[in-house]
Amino acid sequence: MLKEWVQGDHISLRKNPNYWQKGKPYLDGVEIKILQDTQAMVAQMEAGALDLIITPPLVDLNRLKGDAKYQSLLNNDSGAVTVIGMSVPKPPFDKKEVRQALNYALDRKRYADSILLGTGKPTVLPWTSTSPGYDASKNAAYGFDLEKSKALLGQAGVTGLEMDALVQANNAEVLAFSQVYQSDLSKIGIKLNIVKLEQAAWLDQVNKVTYRGIWIGGIAFAQLEPATTFQNSRGLDPTANSSGFVQDKYTQLVTAANAEPDKAKRKDLYNQLNDLFIDESFLMVLSTTPARAMATAKVKDVANNAHGGFIFTGTWME
């Protein structure tokens, strides 16, 4: 139950004596501190002022995970993946050879290993291995190949390309990758301008497809039926996606998959969608990106949910 809310500082909750599950909650109260500085969060945890923090810096998560006083919590059940959308209606991104070239220029392994520090896995398809749409062979369709990328640009007749990359200013991992991508693209004659935006401004440009180039962000529910992902993701929506990609075949396949009750027939539709997704490259997938938290060792029984968050219904403290 709400005890106190000081805007921009903290929210205090107290135990509900009439909670419908007898004996719960186990905690008498919770204070949620609102901190913008991630380093300050970590410092306060190490000083004993915080018991759990959401989305800690990966460097600190990696640094402290071997310390018995702390525990790292990864939610691999959410199906969250990092993706890159392209402004398909704006030349030269209306040519799929250009989009494919940008796909080959993605160093997914470096992102997963060096930036996500092994918490994510490189992927090409917008669904993870538990999804009925997943196909391991097709998930390896795009390897990091700058020569192939350069050849496709030549095939499309594109030289001296300059483009923007819209990133959210508070996403450290995406910012780090955009710099890696900027460097790799420069090797094949593409100038990438990194545009850092606050979330509201980022969403405005991405949702209206007013940008020219790419946006880097994420989608969720990749662990479920692709039909669920199509209905819940602006990145993949067949009629109003954030890449401005519209195609009758794509819309028809998504509509058919959403309505098909037969599992085998639905699998065939997903195979066709995988082929279209790989060929058209209007949305590029980088890596799985599990939600993360860090807690002290005395925090017990934090559970995962399918939305990329954590459940504290049964949480207690030693």
Side-chain angles (χ1 to χ4, degrees):
M1 300 175 66
L2 181 64
K3 179 181 178 181
E4 182 183 46
W5 174 26
V6 178
Q7 191 168 2
D9 186 75
H10 71 272
I11 299 171
S12 295
L13 307 174
R14 62 183 175 86
K15 183 175 182 174
N16 183 350
N18 302 310
Y19 189 62
W20 68 277
Q21 284 185 293
K22 189 175 181 180
K24 291 184 179 180
Y26 299 128
L27 302 174
D28 293 326
V30 175
E31 183 166 304
I32 304 167
K33 292 186 179 295
I34 301 167
L35 300 170
Q36 300 296 329
D37 187 336
T38 56
Q39 292 303 318
M41 285 196 297
V42 176
Q44 288 194 36
M45 170 170 277
E46 292 188 86
L50 296 175
D51 297 298
L52 183 145
I53 57 179
I54 301 293
T55 318
L58 278 168
V59 171
D60 294 297
L61 188 72
N62 197 49
R63 174 174 61 87
L64 295 174
K65 69 180 181 182
D67 189 325
K69 297 191 299 247
Y70 306 100
Q71 55 182 313
S72 60
L73 306 171
L74 294 178
N75 182 352
N76 287 301
D77 301 330
S78 67
V81 293
T82 301
V83 297
I84 299 176
M86 274 183 266
S87 54
V88 175
K90 297 180 175 64
F93 309 102
D94 55 340
K95 297 181 179 181
K96 71 178 179 181
E97 292 84 2
V98 173
R99 304 196 295 268
Q100 291 170 353
L102 292 172
N103 218 340
Y104 276 112
L106 292 175
D107 193 342
R108 294 172 169 86
K109 189 175 188 305
R110 183 174 178 181
Y111 177 65
D113 293 349
S114 301
I115 297 176
L116 295 184
L117 301 178
T119 58
K121 296 181 180 178
T123 186
V124 171
L125 298 176
W127 4 93
T128 56
S129 58
T130 60
S131 168
Y134 183 79
D135 184 322
S137 62
K138 292 178 181 178
N139 199 47
Y142 283 96
F144 179 52
D145 190 339
L146 291 180
E147 288 302 316
K148 179 71 173 177
S149 182
K150 190 174 182 178
L152 282 164
L153 289 173
Q155 185 179 325
V158 173
T159 57
L161 176 60
E162 183 173 351
M163 54 190 272
D164 293 336
L166 272 58
V167 300
Q168 293 189 39
N170 63 347
N171 192 322
E173 289 78 42
V174 163
L175 279 170
F177 176 76
S178 66
Q179 292 165 358
V180 171
Y181 199 36
Q182 182 185 56
S183 176
D184 287 334
L185 289 177
S186 70
K187 298 171 186 175
I188 56 173
I190 297 177
K191 182 180 179 183
L192 184 68
N193 303 312
I194 300 170
V195 182
K196 294 186 286 186
L197 299 169
E198 296 303 319
Q199 185 179 32
W202 183 89
L203 284 170
D204 183 65
Q205 290 199 42
V206 169
N207 289 339
K208 294 178 181 177
V209 199
T210 57
Y211 61 96
R212 182 181 179 276
I214 61 174
W215 58 267
I216 310 177
I219 61 172
F221 302 107
Q223 82 281 30
L224 305 176
E225 286 270 355
T228 302
T229 311
F230 286 124
Q231 293 179 35
N232 289 277
S233 170
R234 283 299 299 270
L236 290 167
D237 188 318
T239 58
N241 57 72
S242 300
S243 295
F245 176 77
V246 180
Q247 186 191 82
D248 288 343
K249 182 180 179 181
Y250 182 49
T251 304
Q252 290 163 6
L253 284 171
V254 172
T255 301
N258 286 345
E260 180 53 65
D262 184 86
K263 185 176 180 180
K265 292 179 181 178
R266 200 163 62 248
K267 177 67 174 177
D268 178 65
L269 289 166
Y270 291 154
N271 286 335
Q272 294 180 61
L273 279 164
N274 281 337
D275 291 337
L276 184 149
F277 183 79
I278 289 168
D279 183 53
E280 293 293 346
S281 290
F282 65 91
L283 186 78
M284 306 181 293
V285 184
L286 268 176
S287 168
T288 59
T289 316
R292 63 185 187 268
M294 185 164 62
T296 61
K298 62 184 179 181
V299 177
K300 307 295 183 181
D301 293 341
V302 176
N304 295 341
N305 68 21
H307 299 271
F310 298 93
I311 302 172
F312 304 100
T313 307
T315 299
W316 56 284
M317 295 186 66
E318 194 172 57

